[in-house]
Amino acid sequence: MTEPRQPSRKLHIKTYGCQMNVYDSARMADLLTPLGYATTETAEDADLVILNTCHIREKAAEKVYSDIGRLRPAREAKRDAGGRMLLAVAGCVAQAEGGEIKARAPEVDIILGPQTYHRLPEMVARASRQHAVVLDTDFPAEAKFDFLPETNVAPGVSAFLSIQEGCDKFCTFCVVPYTRGAEYSRPAGAIVAEARRLVELGAREITLLGQNVNAYRDGEYGLGRLIRSVAEIPGLARIRYTTSHPRDVDDELIEAHRDVEKLMPFLHLPVQSGSDKILDAMNRRHTADDYRRIVDRLRTARPDLALSSDFIAGFPGESDEDFDATMALVRDVAFAQAFSFKYSARPGTPATSMKNQVPDAVKAARLDALQGLLTAQQRAFNRAAVGRDMKVLFEKPGRHPGQLVGRSPYLQAVHADASDDFIGTVAPVRVTALGANSLAGEIVR
Ligand code: SAH
Ligand code: SF4
Ligand code: F3S
């Protein structure tokens, strides 16, 4: 019998951006395990650092350059001691501006895009031998998923599973179609097999991921049908999916919300704006009333459904009236939670060259007003939980001894006193108090 190879090298991955990057980071760690890499929490002692980057807004993209700078002393210390810390930039910034990274940060050893990370072991081997940068930001014909090893790393109670990637929607503000490429859906069989594997490794909740997850299609399988198949896996308690597009909410998906007990009644459905003029300029391909109708249908199918959304304030050409229409939509729908951003002009996207850009001060004021309303709605939603019983999936120890923290169906963090045996189980909790960022409660026995 051969002993498993002892990890001899340390890998640190820093993940920015969306959940798909979180999933990709986990898969990169899987890929590097056979090379003897084990993950470490700190960059300073790592032999390989991967920055898995996000290009969605300017601020997110710029962070990578300051992080590269911050790693300089540790890399020099390692070199002075006769070693080497390899530095890789992965993800959407690498895809969008690989050449610029090479020019601005020549010390980077590897630059790789989201569609080529299955070739990472080979890139690492090459970078170890040479001192010139290894750059691979192709959109290869082969699907990387076919080259990824089966995961061996325990995913924790709640796991992510990418089922679809890329986007063909081309919203005029967004870089994703350029950084992730065309829509691609993984075969349903491979997804169900990976879901089973995650459950074997201890996952009780799976979030199905895609940039446009409800555009998922594999022959007869749309997202609704896929959810039904995944729900049959014994031991799996909860299913979620993100991010979906209003245009791709079909009957099958709404029926899945009605019928599938394991599908959580919480849906992130970005709307971006409540003004039809702006939605059109964004190329969202739906109106504000289309969105209202979809929400009504979902709530009819699943009356306890709550919604989350994304908003952009200050898109080019947004007038006070357009912004008021967004506020009106927020009041009509009442969101449990939301993300909102100032419009950020992104290189290469159509909205960047639109004439009527909104001044930053106006964007900031609108974002402020919008966030005020959304925060009030979120607090009202959380307050309404107090006094109610909620099913909580316990994930890990809380801050205090004897306490665990888990998630409600609506992804609210819930603290309760319970023994460690409750980790990975769903238990009813009576919510007794509302904290700043979480709920507190007692297990109902
Ligand atoms: N695929 C998802 C979201 C992708 S990006 C969807 O279709 O909704 C996540 C969020 O970032 C978007 O919903 C949008 O609100 C925000 N975003 C994207 N590009 C942006 C930009 N240029 N400026 C500001 N916010 C942006
Ligand atoms: Fe970007 Fe629009 Fe595609 Fe979402 S649907 S990823 S916002 S282009
Ligand atoms: Fe960012 Fe790329 Fe995700 S741009 S939001 S990491 S798809």
Side-chain angles (χ1 to χ4, degrees):
M1 251 178 68
T2 49
E3 287 288 307
R5 179 134 53 113
Q6 287 304 311
S8 55
R9 286 180 275 196
K10 290 183 184 159
L11 165 68
H12 177 77
I13 308 184
K14 178 164 177 186
T15 309
Y16 315 64
C18 64
Q19 290 101 327
M20 301 212 59
N21 263 11
V22 177
Y23 175 85
D24 291 344
S25 291
R27 303 319 310 267
M28 286 192 262
D30 283 340
L31 277 160
L32 293 169
T33 309
L35 272 69
Y37 282 97
T39 51
T40 169
E41 289 297 313
T42 50
E44 282 63 33
D45 60 339
D47 302 292
L48 169 60
V49 172
I50 301 176
L51 304 176
N52 194 12
T53 60
C54 173
H55 199 244
I56 203 80
R57 285 168 292 275
E58 193 181 349
K59 256 197 207 147
E62 282 301 313
K63 247 186 243 163
V64 58
Y65 294 102
S66 51
D67 278 351
I68 292 170
R70 214 166 295 138
L71 283 168
R72 230 160 258 156
R75 299 189 79 210
E76 282 165 10
K78 193 121 189 168
R79 195 192 48 213
D80 292 347
R84 188 171 174 206
M85 179 197 287
L86 285 175
L87 175 57
V89 178
C92 292
V93 179
Q95 188 65 47
E97 43 187 78
E100 193 181 332
I101 296 172
K102 217 170 137 176
R104 273 178 75 178
E107 72 257 55
V108 172
D109 300 296
I110 302 170
I111 301 170
L112 73 156
Q115 302 309 343
T116 52
Y117 70 76
H118 56 293
R119 301 174 182 165
L120 188 57
E122 182 203 324
M123 292 183 226
V124 170
R126 266 169 58 206
S128 311
R129 287 194 303 269
Q130 69 184 43
H131 277 267
V133 63
V134 177
L135 186 138
D136 191 349
T137 51
D138 287 357
F139 286 113
E142 79 265 16
K144 68 167 178 249
F145 292 106
D146 296 342
F147 296 84
L148 299 179
E150 196 175 55
T151 187
N152 282 309
V153 183
V157 171
S158 180
F160 289 138
L161 201 177
S162 285
I163 67 164
Q164 179 277 345
E165 246 199 312
C167 183
D168 297 341
K169 291 277 188 300
F170 290 92
C171 300
T172 53
F173 52 81
C174 182
V175 294
V176 171
Y178 312 98
T179 63
R180 294 271 171 171
E183 270 175 23
Y184 167 79
S185 294
R186 296 176 66 188
I191 293 166
V192 174
E194 190 172 329
R196 278 187 200 286
R197 177 85 186 134
L198 290 168
V199 173
E200 272 168 27
L201 290 169
R204 292 293 166 265
E205 170 176 280
I206 291 180
T207 303
L208 305 174
L209 298 180
Q211 261 89 29
N212 222 318
V213 73
N214 57 339
Y216 179 83
R217 176 65 46 194
D218 175 29
E220 301 273 276
Y221 275 83
L223 180 61
R225 181 145 176 201
L226 183 69
I227 287 169
R228 286 178 198 263
S229 293
V230 172
E232 283 167 17
I233 300 174
L236 181 66
R238 291 180 166 185
I239 302 172
R240 304 178 186 277
Y241 62 91
T242 202
T243 297
S244 38
H245 192 289
R247 266 292 287 245
D248 296 318
V249 176
D250 61 9
D251 294 349
E252 221 180 49
L253 186 58
I254 293 177
E255 284 157 17
H257 276 284
R258 183 191 64 199
D259 301 337
V260 181
E261 191 71 23
K262 290 182 184 181
L263 182 58
M264 289 296 99
F266 184 57
L267 178 57
H268 182 62
L269 191 62
V271 63
Q272 317 296 356
S273 168
S275 151
D276 289 348
K277 182 188 99 192
I278 295 300
L279 287 168
D280 188 48
M282 288 175 163
N283 191 32
R284 289 293 289 181
R285 304 186 233 183
H286 63 82
T287 64
D289 280 346
D290 291 338
Y291 188 87
R292 288 182 177 89
R293 270 192 293 273
I294 293 163
V295 168
D296 285 347
R297 290 185 59 207
L298 283 160
R299 282 179 167 156
T300 306
R302 185 77 206 235
D304 59 348
L305 185 105
L307 285 135
S308 146
S309 199
D310 290 345
F311 296 88
I312 295 177
F315 184 82
E318 187 186 73
S319 65
D320 287 339
E321 291 72 39
D322 294 321
F323 178 68
D324 290 346
T326 300
M327 296 291 273
L329 180 111
V330 172
R331 278 187 210 98
D332 287 351
V333 174
F335 293 93
Q337 199 250 328
F339 301 97
S340 46
F341 316 95
K342 277 197 282 189
Y343 167 70
S344 168
R346 306 305 294 127
T349 60
T352 303
S353 44
M354 289 181 183
K355 292 274 172 298
N356 33 18
Q357 300 286 325
V358 173
D360 193 61
V362 177
K363 286 190 218 174
R366 288 182 188 159
L367 184 66
D368 224 42
L370 179 60
Q371 289 187 335
L373 178 56
L374 290 167
T375 307
Q377 291 189 341
Q378 179 170 7
R379 286 201 68 79
F381 181 80
N382 289 339
R383 213 177 303 116
V386 178
R388 285 179 49 199
D389 291 356
M390 281 186 146
K391 286 193 173 151
V392 172
L393 172 59
F394 285 102
E395 291 184 1
K396 56 186 182 200
R399 217 171 301 140
H400 306 296
Q403 189 191 54
L404 296 182
V405 58
R407 298 271 173 187
S408 78
Y410 305 108
L411 279 181
Q412 295 149 303
V414 184
H415 290 90
D417 286 342
S419 67
D420 286 356
D421 311 343
F422 277 89
I423 293 177
T425 70
V426 177
V429 170
R430 176 144 316 145
V431 179
T432 52
L434 171 64
N437 297 307
S438 64
L439 303 171
E442 289 155 11
I443 291 186
V444 183
R445 288 170 206 272

